[in-house]
Amino acid sequence: MMNQLIEFSINHWEMVAVFLAILATLLFVESKGGAQGLTPSAATNLMNNEDAVVVDIRPEKEFNTGHITGALNIPATKMQDNLKRLEKHKDTPIIIVCKSGITSGASAKDLKKAGFSKIYKLQGGIVEWQSSNLPLVKG
């Protein structure tokens, strides 16, 4: 197996170089200014021990079908307009939650740019929260 990998790498060095460049870029972009990802259990600990604020960025209809207890609903498209709502939480840990953990990064970066210091994102979003058998509130 290792011999095949080395042979492939030699025969297709251009592809390997492009892959490594993309990988390096991805790692750089993710580490720069991005929010730290939290597992559902780590998020729960942060909520219980440091009074973290949960900001659910899903549209209101989705939010109403089930959300984390105490979560604020600020849809991603309205984040800039609602920064004042979060102003009092500037030094409190804020956990950004979306449906699957993919779109929370952009909102987290917006909050970091606005001067919020402790921004996290829930890995896997609400889907992961539910699959960890953690409770959701409806309405």
Side-chain angles (χ1 to χ4, degrees):
M1 176 71 178
M2 192 59 152
N3 288 341
Q4 289 174 323
L5 184 62
I6 292 169
E7 186 180 337
F8 177 84
S9 298
I10 291 169
N11 292 337
H12 303 283
W13 66 270
E14 300 95 340
M15 284 172 53
V16 173
V18 168
F19 170 75
L20 291 174
I22 291 171
L23 182 63
T25 303
L26 182 67
L27 291 173
F28 176 74
V29 168
E30 279 298 311
S31 67
K32 186 177 193 282
Q36 181 181 340
L38 294 178
T39 62
S41 62
T44 303
N45 287 340
L46 206 58
M47 287 183 271
N48 292 336
N49 300 329
E50 295 188 43
D51 296 324
V53 176
V54 177
V55 177
D56 194 318
I57 61 167
R58 296 175 299 153
E60 191 177 351
K61 270 186 179 174
E62 270 185 60
F63 178 80
N64 290 334
T65 63
H67 57 271
I68 297 169
T69 306
L72 299 173
N73 182 220
I74 302 177
T77 55
K78 298 177 181 163
M79 184 61 72
Q80 290 299 327
D81 302 334
N82 282 278
L83 289 176
K84 286 239 183 302
R85 249 177 97 188
L86 294 172
E87 197 65 36
K88 63 184 173 207
H89 304 296
K90 216 161 190 148
D91 297 315
T92 310
I94 294 177
I95 303 168
I96 306 292
V97 178
C98 63
K99 184 174 183 174
S100 60
I102 296 170
T103 57
S104 56
S107 294
K109 282 183 182 168
D110 288 345
L111 288 175
K112 280 206 176 239
K113 278 184 198 163
F116 291 83
S117 56
K118 301 175 184 171
I119 305 297
Y120 302 90
K121 56 187 179 185
L122 181 64
Q123 293 172 347
I126 286 293
V127 172
E128 184 67 30
W129 184 269
Q130 282 181 291
S131 67
S132 299
N133 292 320
L134 291 163
L136 289 178
V137 180
K138 293 185 190 306

